[in-house]
Amino acid sequence: MKFTFFFSCCVARFIEDILTNRRRRRKCIFWSIIVGSLATVFIVTALRDALLASRFICTVEDIVSNHITKLCEVTDKEKELDHSHTPFRQDLCEELCAPDVSSRITCHTFHLNKPTVFTLDGEGKKVIKSVIKLEDREEPVVETSTEENEVYWNLKPGSHQYFPTKDDFLSMVTVYISNFVGDNVSKNIVNKLFNQSNLYQTDTESLSNHKKFWMLIEDHEFLTSFVFEDFKLFPSILGTCGTYYAMQYLEPLTKNALQPFKLTWRKRLWKAIDIVRYIGQLETLWKEPLHLCDVKHDHFGWNDEEKVMFLDLDSVLPESSLLKTMENTPHCSDNDDCSYFDCKGRCHHRISKCELERTNTNLQVVCDKIFLGNTDSLISLYGLLVSREANEELVEALELCKTNRGMTVDGMLDVIMKASNTLMY
């Protein structure tokens, strides 16, 4: 008690001296500014490094120093070792390793599921992405077979590197992709994927190149784009360099969903019509429906021909794959345990297992998150079709669409087109 009283008196006396002594007051203010500035710099630097490490933000400097420079060093070493026969088309390496590359890079923020994502200007605008390393993935990659582990990646004791024959290799690729799409994959897709690599084109094979090949096809986004390329549903793969690949650039619906749309009401209706028609294509073009399980404003983009596509493919799943995800959930206590992001499931509480059915639809999620701007977060985003210009029929249809899985693509399309047609009179 005495110590507390004595300490309080000392502090009070110190403050009094500062207030009455001009020189001490100035010195105290000076050192306070110095200490405060140093603390601020330290906090800002630590926060910036943490955000960069989490890929919440990015800088051109970070992309060049931590990705492109390292990639080009590896590429140069492989050329020196005469390992120039690398998987897939390698034109991308020349673009990325050009001296002026930093002036042609635009950062992409909020991409937490990829080591790096950025736009590259030059011979056509393209989006560059890198695959996620096996050790950094949230879920372990399921190997195609135990044989692959035993004889493909490793060296046999007392012998040289062992690689499967070309036929065995094609069989392994076919099994992997068939498991990915949930059915027997077309041989044309496998052959097209294989023919774009330079594997088995020389007398010797490189373990490094085979690993890069498998890292690329094990990347969900890369393989989705490749398998469904002929359907023109997703951006195309334009080239690769090591474990980096380039995708077709599309102009997103918005680059910042927290800002109001600058489009006119007519153009917003046209964009909505494009999106609803696209949802219909996802239900019919493939032998089974394709599910968009991570729907955001900037995940819809338009190409030069004004065709809409979905841009972020990490959570695009064929129906059989989505149901397999639910089936493999060992135990559930509520419906969220059976859901995969926006693809909602239902828990059978009596047996604590997920029912093998998605309980909402792509259209419901689009109506709710894109057209109405509703999210599960505390931040309410802007809805594409939220406007005082919206007629009563459209407002009612949107509210019905977000809650009722019975709303059809044709029904929603009819309502939006009526709203668009009234603007012509």
Side-chain angles (χ1 to χ4, degrees):
M1 186 71 178
K2 290 183 179 180
F3 174 79
T4 303
F5 177 77
F6 179 74
F7 179 76
S8 301
C9 289
C10 289
V11 171
R13 183 61 183 272
F14 177 73
I15 294 175
E16 182 181 1
D17 287 345
I18 290 175
L19 294 176
T20 57
N21 190 310
R22 180 178 296 178
R23 179 176 295 178
R24 288 187 178 181
R25 186 165 65 247
R26 287 178 176 176
K27 185 181 293 186
C28 181
I29 293 173
F30 172 78
W31 284 109
S32 296
I33 292 173
I34 295 295
V35 173
S37 299
L38 292 174
T40 301
V41 170
F42 175 79
I43 292 172
V44 170
T45 302
L47 180 61
R48 175 183 176 275
D49 291 342
L51 291 175
L52 284 172
S54 66
R55 299 184 291 277
F56 196 76
I57 64 172
C58 76
T59 65
V60 173
E61 179 185 1
D62 174 66
I63 291 173
V64 172
S65 60
N66 293 328
H67 294 278
I68 295 179
T69 299
K70 294 180 181 179
L71 173 67
C72 295
E73 288 175 353
V74 172
T75 303
D76 290 340
K77 287 181 181 178
E78 289 181 344
K79 287 181 179 179
E80 292 175 3
L81 295 172
D82 196 27
H83 289 169
S84 56
H85 298 287
T86 48
F88 298 100
R89 303 181 295 269
Q90 293 295 302
D91 297 340
L92 182 62
C93 290
E94 297 180 7
E95 287 191 69
L96 290 176
C97 298
D100 65 337
V101 66
S102 60
S103 64
R104 297 185 285 113
I105 289 176
T106 303
C107 276
H108 287 213
T109 55
F110 303 108
H111 282 275
L112 307 183
N113 55 342
K114 293 285 185 185
T116 186
V117 180
F118 59 92
T119 298
L120 180 67
D121 288 316
E123 298 177 7
K125 205 171 186 179
K126 51 182 73 75
V127 178
I128 311 299
K129 301 184 179 185
S130 63
V131 304
I132 304 174
K133 294 181 180 179
L134 297 180
E135 60 268 22
D136 294 335
R137 297 183 185 182
E138 294 182 2
E139 298 179 359
V141 176
V142 178
E143 302 290 352
T144 55
S145 67
T146 55
E147 180 185 3
E148 178 185 332
N149 263 339
E150 294 172 0
V151 302
Y152 189 66
W153 300 128
N154 305 316
L155 302 179
K156 282 189 171 182
S159 65
H160 298 292
Q161 277 181 194
Y162 178 87
F163 293 94
T165 65
K166 182 177 179 180
D167 289 339
D168 288 343
F169 180 79
L170 283 172
S171 177
M172 291 160 57
V173 174
T174 301
V175 170
Y176 184 88
I177 301 178
S178 295
N179 289 335
F180 174 77
V181 297
D183 202 351
N184 292 327
V185 68
S186 167
K187 289 185 177 180
N188 292 334
I189 294 175
V190 177
N191 289 332
K192 185 177 179 182
L193 183 67
F194 180 78
N195 289 337
Q196 293 197 44
S197 75
N198 286 319
L199 301 176
Y200 295 96
Q201 294 186 7
T202 62
D203 294 336
T204 59
E205 289 295 312
S206 164
L207 181 63
S208 173
N209 292 338
H210 277 256
K211 282 188 174 182
K212 289 174 185 176
F213 175 90
W214 277 103
M215 286 185 71
L216 284 168
I217 69 170
E218 285 176 342
D219 185 88
H220 189 98
E221 189 159 24
F222 178 90
L223 192 56
T224 300
S225 176
F226 207 96
V227 168
F228 298 104
E229 184 176 15
D230 292 341
F231 295 96
K232 307 296 182 185
L233 293 171
F234 312 116
S236 301
I237 302 294
L238 302 179
T240 68
C241 179
T243 55
Y244 290 72
Y245 57 93
M247 299 187 75
Q248 176 187 6
Y249 176 83
L250 288 90
E251 192 65 30
L253 177 63
T254 178
K255 294 180 180 178
N256 188 348
L258 298 178
Q259 294 180 351
F261 286 97
K262 297 180 180 179
L263 301 170
T264 64
W265 178 238
R266 183 192 301 274
K267 288 185 178 179
R268 286 159 70 172
L269 289 170
W270 289 349
K271 294 287 187 185
I273 290 172
D274 287 343
I275 292 174
V276 174
R277 283 176 173 164
Y278 177 77
I279 296 301
Q281 290 179 315
L282 294 177
E283 296 176 357
T284 57
L285 283 185
W286 180 244
K287 52 194 172 185
E288 58 180 288
L290 299 176
H291 296 271
L292 307 180
C293 296
D294 186 17
V295 176
K296 296 178 182 176
H297 288 70
D298 58 352
H299 287 180
F300 289 97
W302 281 256
N303 63 13
D304 294 336
E305 300 173 353
E306 291 300 314
K307 177 177 174 57
V308 66
M309 296 181 182
F310 198 74
L311 306 184
D312 194 320
L313 312 185
D314 282 312
S315 299
V316 175
L317 295 176
E319 182 158 300
S320 56
S321 296
L322 177 62
L323 298 184
K324 189 181 297 183
T325 300
M326 296 176 176
E327 184 179 19
N328 290 338
T329 301
H331 174 85
C332 67
S333 56
D334 55 41
N335 293 337
D336 287 341
D337 294 334
C338 300
S339 300
Y340 184 68
F341 298 104
D342 293 322
C343 295
K344 302 302 181 183
R346 181 187 293 114
C347 179
H348 193 301
H349 295 290
R350 186 173 61 83
I351 60 176
S352 298
K353 297 290 290 184
C354 297
E355 298 181 9
L356 301 185
E357 181 185 14
R358 181 182 177 181
T359 59
N360 63 348
T361 66
N362 287 333
L363 183 61
Q364 279 183 273
V365 178
V366 166
C367 285
D368 191 27
K369 298 185 69 175
I370 306 302
F371 295 162
L372 292 174
N374 297 325
T375 68
D376 295 331
S377 66
L378 297 176
I379 302 175
S380 180
L381 305 180
Y382 287 92
L384 181 65
L385 297 183
V386 174
S387 171
R388 286 178 293 181
E389 298 183 64
N391 59 36
E392 185 176 347
E393 183 182 8
L394 177 59
V395 173
E396 292 177 355
L398 289 173
E399 290 297 326
L400 178 64
C401 176
K402 77 172 185 178
T403 57
N404 191 334
R405 61 179 299 174
M407 172 63 81
T408 64
V409 166
D410 289 338
M412 195 68 234
L413 192 60
D414 183 59
V415 174
I416 300 175
M417 291 186 71
K418 283 181 181 179
S420 177
N421 291 337
T422 58
L423 299 177
M424 298 181 181
Y425 301 101

